[in-house]
Amino acid sequence: MRSFFGALLFCILSFLPFYLSSSPKGGNVSFVKVNPQSFEVKEGKEGGQIRFILSSDPKTLNPALAQETSSTAVLSDLFTGLTKTDLKSMKVVPDLAERWEEKEGGKVYIFHLRKGIRWSDGAPFGADDVVFTYKDIYLNPQIPNSTGDMFKGILKSQEDVKNFVRKIDQYTVEFRLPSPFAPFLNALSAPILPKHKLEKYVKEGTFMTAWNVNTDPKEIVGTGPYVIKRYIKGVLVEYTANPYYYEYDQKGIRLPYIKSKIGYIIQDPDTSLLKYSLGEIDYMGVRPQDVLFMSKMKETTLFDLGPTPSTTFLAFNMNPKADIPKYKLKWFQNREFRRAISHAIDRVGMCYLVYNGLAEPLYGPITPANRPYYEDGLFPVYDYNLKKAKAILESIGFRDKDGDGWLEDPEGHKVEIVLLTNAGNKEREAMGNMIKEDLEKIGIKVIFRPIDFNTLVSRLTSPPYSWEAVIIGLTGSMDPHFGRNVWHSSGTLHMWNPRQEKPSTEWEKRIDELFDRGAIETDQEKRIMFYREAYRIIAEEQPMIFLTTPKSMLAVRDKFENLFPTVWGWYKEEALFIK
């Protein structure tokens, strides 16, 4: 279900698009390899409950503010957008919209909304909600959010923002763009929010604290298939079917078929595995080290979903406003320092020791799943070579001047780094220990410290940006533009130096230009070349040192029909039912 990817990928951010590959090798383990073209939905029956894992408490219950999967995993089934991606055809299709018309060469869109839709509290849904969501929330400069960031490259003036969306009548909305915007229809999958519930917070200037984790779940109103029935911090989130959800089967039965869900909040993957083995969980992501164990479980099917589009990486803090020593900032801002560290990381060893061979080394910001943007040879390969790493460091003045085994920088400061990751993620903890061991071999002292995920996200995304180095990950997106919030220098998730008023380096300036051009280019071949150049620059500059890309594997109990998992989510999840 939608929440599966939040729990499985445990990254910061969830955009929307790319993945594929061959079945993993695991002895005599048998995997089912999915073929979306064979997905055929059958008529189901109502009833039952589905139980799953949430890897952390949410940081917020406000979908506009959710930038980490601890929150999006909880919220994803509560809201819908004007459009969605059909995971069988991978095409954009209507959702809250019934249809749309494109005019003036892709600069004007008229959206005709479904009639008779109600919010989960019974209030009517209409054009006012759409205009409010985009004009008052997503495009509000006082409300930083990922959806607004996606439109920054195209809506460059106040006049552009003012003209972007308007109500024609109760069920018709017009969007007007200053120029064609290639990912526009995909971008409109962003959640539409209820004006009757949230307008007061916008007017009061308190939207940033609206729908927080202490809010009564009854106040969280959406148009998705489920609503939150109760939330017990650190324990569970219980859902019940939205009584006003607008999808029906061919017999007129309101979906979803399964009327109840429980997400158990469990940070420790070993505990999650135990709960699955005891029959208390219905599905979960499979870690490579658990493949053989899970293959022996009765009434369980293991799915190979192909290479994940998610990335795991090591990043250094290059933010001049960060609460870190200035001499360390100077290290991290030096490309040769970052390249040296990249050569000191044993990616191949990680693939075998951390993922039992069910992963591949990663050297750039997208994975082989991200075709057509990915191609072999796109990124430089940083081979594991400690001698080369140390030689690069020596070439920029890092030497063991006092003979104590640790390097000093040209100003005499000992090279010591505090490395963070999210506690409970065994793979990242294992990677952190491997990185610590290898860096200490070349004279860099590493203090490795796993901390709570939401605390980590706060450090990464909020002042005073108190962190030096981190191992974390990002989910992938179907269209590169949905990663603009990460790669554009103005983005709130431009992790190493976020929210820049203007690019601080020439290479960041070039990446900004390429992402801005890619957004308005409607020729697909040209778009591909723009984004490939941007990704190549990122790989050469190493602001993030990419580590591995694992297989995406899923274990599900043999109790469901209409079960169609993909690496992007579950196809027709609302039609899932119990045998």
Side-chain angles (χ1 to χ4, degrees):
M1 309 200 79
R2 286 189 181 103
S3 52
F4 156 63
F5 283 94
L8 174 60
L9 298 179
F10 203 5
C11 304
I12 289 184
L13 140 97
S14 185
F15 311 129
L16 226 179
F18 31 98
Y19 334 33
L20 285 151
S21 180
S22 59
S23 185
K25 298 177 177 60
N28 295 320
V29 178
S30 177
F31 280 84
V32 173
K33 186 169 170 56
V34 298
N35 175 17
Q37 298 310 310
S38 68
F39 294 169
E40 294 296 337
V41 177
K42 65 175 70 173
E43 187 179 295
K45 62 179 182 179
E46 296 180 287
Q49 184 181 75
I50 189 166
R51 304 158 301 171
F52 61 100
I53 297 294
L54 292 166
S55 51
S56 181
D57 280 289
K59 188 179 176 185
T60 179
L61 295 178
N62 188 328
L65 306 179
Q67 296 194 84
E68 58 291 311
T69 52
S70 57
S71 300
T72 58
V74 170
L75 298 171
S76 58
D77 279 332
L78 275 62
F79 300 91
T80 51
L82 293 178
T83 66
K84 63 183 176 182
T85 299
D86 182 310
L87 296 180
K88 181 175 180 177
S89 67
M90 298 306 289
K91 294 180 179 179
V92 179
V93 297
D95 198 352
L96 286 170
E98 184 178 70
R99 60 188 174 88
W100 60 79
E101 304 164 43
E102 180 182 330
K103 298 184 176 183
E104 297 184 23
K107 293 197 291 185
V108 175
Y109 288 84
I110 307 297
F111 273 77
H112 301 275
L113 307 180
R114 296 194 194 209
K115 296 178 181 178
I117 292 180
R118 293 186 176 275
W119 293 96
S120 55
D121 63 354
F125 160 83
D128 289 330
D129 296 301
V130 177
V131 174
F132 165 75
T133 297
Y134 281 95
K135 185 160 284 189
D136 293 359
I137 296 178
Y138 291 146
L139 299 180
N140 187 334
Q142 304 304 315
I143 302 175
N145 66 91
S146 295
T147 301
D149 284 344
M150 285 194 294
F151 288 105
K152 281 182 179 178
I154 192 74
L155 303 176
K156 297 181 179 180
S157 70
Q158 285 296 105
E159 192 69 15
D160 291 341
V161 173
K162 179 182 177 181
N163 295 332
F164 179 63
V165 59
R166 72 179 182 93
K167 172 184 175 180
I168 295 177
D169 60 40
Q170 184 179 356
Y171 297 109
T172 314
V173 175
E174 178 191 85
F175 288 92
R176 184 170 291 273
L177 299 162
S179 61
F181 183 41
F184 177 68
L185 292 176
N186 242 326
L188 293 189
S189 63
I192 299 298
L193 303 176
K195 180 178 180 180
H196 69 287
K197 282 288 186 180
L198 293 173
E199 184 179 33
K200 63 180 179 181
Y201 298 109
V202 175
K203 288 183 175 180
E204 294 169 357
T206 58
F207 184 83
M208 296 299 292
T209 57
W211 285 5
N212 59 61
V213 293
N214 295 313
T215 300
D216 184 341
K218 294 177 182 177
E219 291 295 308
I220 313 299
V221 173
T223 52
Y226 291 94
V227 297
I228 295 178
K229 183 177 181 180
R230 60 177 177 144
Y231 166 40
I232 304 174
K233 290 182 182 179
V235 180
L236 59 80
V237 181
E238 183 177 0
Y239 303 81
T240 188
N242 177 358
Y244 297 101
Y245 187 54
Y246 48 89
E247 295 280 5
Y248 295 83
D249 72 3
Q250 292 182 345
K251 282 192 171 181
I253 297 175
R254 189 188 298 272
L255 300 175
Y257 288 127
I258 297 176
K259 303 302 183 185
S260 175
K261 300 199 311 176
I262 294 183
Y264 293 100
I265 299 168
I266 303 173
Q267 296 197 32
D268 180 18
D270 293 332
T271 304
S272 299
L273 180 63
L274 176 61
K275 286 185 76 70
Y276 186 92
S277 67
L278 294 174
E280 298 174 15
I281 296 298
D282 292 316
Y283 67 88
M284 65 178 291
V286 181
R287 298 179 300 174
Q289 61 265 41
D290 299 330
V291 166
L292 289 175
F293 175 72
M294 298 197 78
S295 70
K296 297 174 184 177
M297 291 186 185
K298 296 180 179 179
E299 300 179 346
T300 288
T301 297
L302 298 181
F303 289 92
D304 166 20
L305 304 180
T308 172
S310 69
T311 58
T312 302
F313 52 85
L314 166 67
F316 292 111
N317 193 340
M318 294 186 260
N319 187 347
K321 300 176 183 178
D323 181 24
I324 61 173
K326 296 304 178 185
Y327 63 87
K328 290 190 177 185
L329 185 66
K330 190 180 297 185
W331 305 343
F332 303 154
Q333 290 176 337
N334 188 323
R335 182 180 66 176
E336 294 309 303
F337 179 88
R338 302 191 300 269
R339 285 180 169 177
I341 300 301
S342 195
H343 280 295
I345 291 175
D346 186 3
R347 295 170 175 85
V348 174
M350 288 178 179
C351 291
Y352 285 94
L353 295 176
V354 179
Y355 292 103
N356 286 351
L358 299 175
E360 296 178 2
L362 184 65
Y363 300 99
I366 57 172
T367 80
N370 296 90
R371 298 188 186 277
Y373 301 96
Y374 180 92
E375 65 175 352
D376 292 337
L378 180 61
F379 306 128
V381 172
Y382 295 86
D383 59 306
Y384 175 55
N385 189 324
L386 295 179
K387 288 184 178 179
K388 182 185 291 187
K390 195 162 186 178
I392 293 173
L393 289 171
E394 289 178 351
S395 73
I396 55 175
F398 289 76
R399 292 182 174 82
D400 179 11
K401 299 174 183 177
D402 57 10
D404 66 350
W406 303 111
L407 295 177
E408 286 83 36
D409 69 10
E411 298 172 1
H413 301 104
K414 185 168 75 172
V415 184
E416 178 178 293
I417 299 169
V418 178
L419 175 61
L420 306 177
T421 196
N422 50 287
N425 188 304
K426 302 300 183 184
E427 291 80 9
R428 291 180 190 163
E429 290 181 356
M431 290 183 197
N433 284 317
M434 291 180 69
I435 291 172
K436 171 182 169 67
E437 182 178 338
D438 278 327
L439 293 188
E440 292 189 344
K441 288 177 182 176
I442 61 172
I444 297 177
K445 184 173 179 60
V446 176
I447 300 170
F448 182 44
R449 188 177 298 158
I451 63 175
D452 172 73
F453 181 66
N454 286 334
T455 301
L456 178 60
V457 170
S458 293
R459 288 201 189 190
L460 295 175
T461 60
S462 306
Y465 303 105
S466 181
W467 63 280
E468 296 180 8
V470 65
I471 301 171
I472 196 133
L474 294 170
T475 56
S477 60
M478 294 178 188
D479 190 289
H481 185 76
F482 294 163
R484 185 182 191 277
N485 196 26
V486 176
W487 307 123
H488 199 280
S489 63
S490 65
T492 56
L493 286 177
H494 191 71
M495 203 168 308
W496 61 92
N497 187 6
R499 302 177 184 178
Q500 299 176 35
E501 292 184 7
K502 62 180 182 178
S504 61
T505 63
E506 285 301 312
W507 59 268
E508 285 173 293
K509 179 181 178 182
R510 179 58 179 161
I511 292 170
D512 288 358
E513 292 170 351
L514 290 165
F515 266 79
D516 289 343
R517 291 178 68 184
I520 61 175
E521 179 57 65
T522 55
D523 183 309
Q524 179 65 358
E525 291 304 313
K526 290 182 179 179
R527 287 194 85 215
I528 289 170
M529 298 313 296
F530 289 151
Y531 289 118
R532 281 182 180 173
E533 182 182 344
Y535 292 142
R536 190 182 298 112
I537 292 170
I538 293 165
E540 290 170 351
E541 295 293 336
Q542 293 283 283
M544 296 172 172
I545 298 172
F546 298 93
L547 303 174
T548 62
T549 178
K551 295 283 187 179
S552 181
M553 297 172 287
L554 175 68
V556 186
R557 300 209 172 276
D558 297 332
K559 59 186 285 188
F560 300 107
E561 293 280 6
N562 288 340
L563 173 67
F564 307 121
T566 78
V567 76
W568 298 111
W570 290 11
Y571 174 70
K572 298 288 186 183
E573 59 182 307
E574 65 277 359
L576 187 74
F577 69 95
I578 295 175
K579 295 178 183 178

